[in-house]
Amino acid sequence: MVLGRRKRREADEARAKFIANREKVRSWSGRWDCPEVDWPAFEEVPSPWLVLPRERDRWLEFHAPFIERYDWLLEATPRANGVDELWALWEFGAGHGFERLTIRFRTVLDPEYLAEKLALGIEAAAFDGWQDGDAQSVYDWLCEGVGSLAGSGMVRGKHRLGFVLLEMTCAAVGRTTVITELRASLTTTSLDGRPLKPDGRD
């Protein structure tokens, strides 16, 4: 009986983590100030599972606590000139731990616009340890990086804020169009590999 109660408790805790992840992803696009696109209705069940609506409660009860990897792909519909594509992929791994958020933006080459929108998208993710002023730091880094694209065709870069590691790739796909991918993950080391202190400092 004790073993059975422990297993039920562990399943309940894992289910709670899954639900917390789902609600974080569900609410993210609403927190991101990006009126240039429309987001689709949110899918309760992540990829790669396909579950009929009448089976969702049962799936949540018996399967969600025990899945090892899952993700939500959110594909927006552009509604403004100059924005051709926007999607975001939230990935989770063992123990329902967050692994990565990838944002892909295909737009006109406008460093200030791209930097502002992507910084707001990362800020809306509300990562643990995020502080006031971090969005400005992300904006400055992105604006400088995208602004250096002229003449090179592609730029890459890394930036760390506390325990959040950002990796950016921006590539020109025409005279006025760029594809920018920004990946956010969690880290316990600085960019040169040194362990971070408990407050996220080097």
Side-chain angles (χ1 to χ4, degrees), residues 8-99:
R8 284 194 298 272
R9 184 176 65 251
E10 290 173 352
D12 289 343
E13 291 172 353
R15 189 178 301 106
K17 291 178 181 178
F18 171 83
I19 292 173
N21 288 340
R22 185 183 66 187
E23 296 312 304
K24 185 179 185 73
V25 177
R26 183 205 302 271
S27 62
W28 170 73
S29 59
R31 294 193 302 270
W32 184 5
D33 181 16
C34 191
E36 297 85 353
V37 301
D38 289 323
W39 294 98
F42 183 74
E43 292 290 340
E44 299 282 333
V45 177
S47 299
W49 285 268
L50 296 175
V51 180
L52 294 174
R54 66 175 181 271
E55 296 292 333
R56 285 178 181 170
D57 289 344
R58 180 177 175 82
W59 183 88
L60 176 62
E61 179 72 17
F62 295 104
H63 297 283
F66 307 106
I67 55 181
E68 287 295 314
R69 302 189 65 81
Y70 54 95
D71 59 67
W72 276 279
L73 175 63
L74 310 178
E75 296 184 83
T77 301
R79 53 182 294 187
N81 291 333
V83 177
D84 297 325
E85 176 187 26
L86 174 57
W87 58 254
L89 179 66
W90 285 82
E91 299 175 76
F92 299 89
H96 301 277
F98 168 77
E99 288 197 344

Side-chain angles (χ1 to χ4, degrees), residues 12 17 23 27 74 80 100 114 154 156 180 195 202:
D12 289 343
K17 291 178 181 178
E23 296 312 304
S27 62
L74 310 178
R100 186 179 303 108
L114 272 170
M154 176 179 285
R156 300 177 185 271
T180 307
D202 292 347

Side-chain angles (χ1 to χ4, degrees), residues 126-169:
F127 293 117
D128 290 341
W130 189 264
Q131 299 179 16
D132 292 340
D134 285 351
Q136 182 65 49
S137 177
V138 174
Y139 170 84
D140 292 341
W141 169 66
L142 287 169
C143 201
E144 180 181 359
V146 176
S148 67
L149 186 65
S152 64
M154 176 179 285
V155 293
R156 300 177 185 271
K158 291 184 178 182
H159 187 62
R160 185 185 60 80
L161 290 159
F163 296 106
V164 179
L165 175 64
L166 300 173
E167 301 173 88
M168 181 268 289
T169 301

